[in-house]
Amino acid sequence: DGFFAYDPYTSFSVSYNPAMWTMSFELAGSFFVFAFLLLFGRMTRRYAVYAALFFIVGRGYYSAFLFGLLIADGNGSLWGERLRSLLERRSVLAWLLLVAGGCLTGYFSDGRNVWSQFLDQAGAGLRYAGFDLWILYHNIVAAMMLIGVMFNPLLRRLLASRPLVFLGRLAYSMYLIHVVLLCSAGCSVFLYLQ
């Protein structure tokens, strides 16, 4: 079972394909989304549920699924329409979210620079409550970038173009096999160069 033998918390050396570590989170996160919608889908104001769930599932990778639900909820709500109207009128705000998200993707909790020290101090209470700040910040950044793209008309048109839609259809399957392909090609190149 070399393709699915992975342990994201210790070492990737047990797997032939380390990209597969996300599969268990994606499956459980999908079930989380379905359960959430089954239990709370008909509630009109479920923001208290989001707040409660944040402290239950927000400690790890599942906060990304929670943020996705919140963004999808906001996309069809009154405040979401207000946000869309604001960001589409002033697309610089959507670009700012996207660029800020892109800049923040490099955050590592190493305490070596002023920015990481600031974020570590700002999130001290969350860390005390058991949150993994590295995962939480990256999920927040992903949500910022998603909102930046969703509410930017130019980027929406670009991403809806035929070539990018085609690449989008291939992206997930390529992600799943990219390590195997790279290793296979790398071995061939290595043998050729010897």
Side-chain angles (χ1 to χ4, degrees):
D1 199 22
F3 284 102
F4 297 103
Y6 49 85
D7 184 359
Y9 297 109
T10 57
S11 169
F12 294 121
S13 62
V14 297
S15 174
Y16 293 128
N17 191 352
M20 298 295 277
W21 74 269
T22 63
M23 294 303 289
S24 60
F25 292 105
E26 292 171 29
L27 180 64
S30 298
F31 284 137
F32 166 71
V33 169
F34 294 139
F36 178 87
L37 292 174
L38 179 69
L39 295 172
F40 307 108
R42 295 196 187 275
M43 286 178 65
T44 54
R45 296 181 185 204
R46 50 182 169 238
Y47 301 109
V49 176
Y50 282 118
L53 283 176
F54 177 73
F55 286 99
I56 296 170
V57 301
R59 289 180 170 80
Y61 293 105
Y62 300 111
S63 62
F65 291 91
L66 190 64
F67 293 153
L69 278 166
L70 186 59
I71 291 168
D73 242 5
N75 196 28
S77 71
L78 180 62
W79 68 267
E81 291 305 316
R82 288 181 184 158
L83 181 64
R84 176 184 298 278
S85 149
L86 173 72
L87 291 176
E88 285 181 350
R89 275 194 324 257
R90 294 183 173 79
S91 66
V92 69
L93 294 175
W95 281 106
L96 184 64
L97 274 175
L98 189 62
V99 170
C103 291
L104 292 173
T105 56
Y107 163 74
F108 290 99
S109 182
D110 59 3
R112 292 187 208 169
N113 60 47
V114 175
W115 181 241
S116 91
Q117 290 172 2
F118 169 74
L119 289 176
D120 286 344
Q121 291 299 318
L126 289 172
R127 181 181 289 117
Y128 181 75
F131 286 83
D132 184 334
L133 293 184
W134 187 81
I135 294 171
L136 181 63
Y137 287 151
H138 282 92
N139 287 340
I140 290 170
V141 164
M144 287 169 55
M145 293 176 75
L146 178 63
I147 292 169
V149 169
M150 281 176 59
F151 297 138
N152 188 317
L154 176 67
L155 282 177
R156 276 200 323 260
R157 279 194 307 275
L158 176 69
L159 292 173
S161 68
R162 191 178 289 247
L164 291 180
V165 168
F166 174 73
L167 285 175
R169 288 189 178 137
L170 295 178
Y172 188 70
S173 55
M174 291 305 292
Y175 161 72
L176 290 178
I177 63 170
H178 80 280
V179 173
V180 175
L181 291 177
L182 289 173
C183 290
S184 299
C187 288
S188 299
V189 170
F190 177 76
L191 291 174
Y192 176 77
L193 292 175
Q194 274 197 347

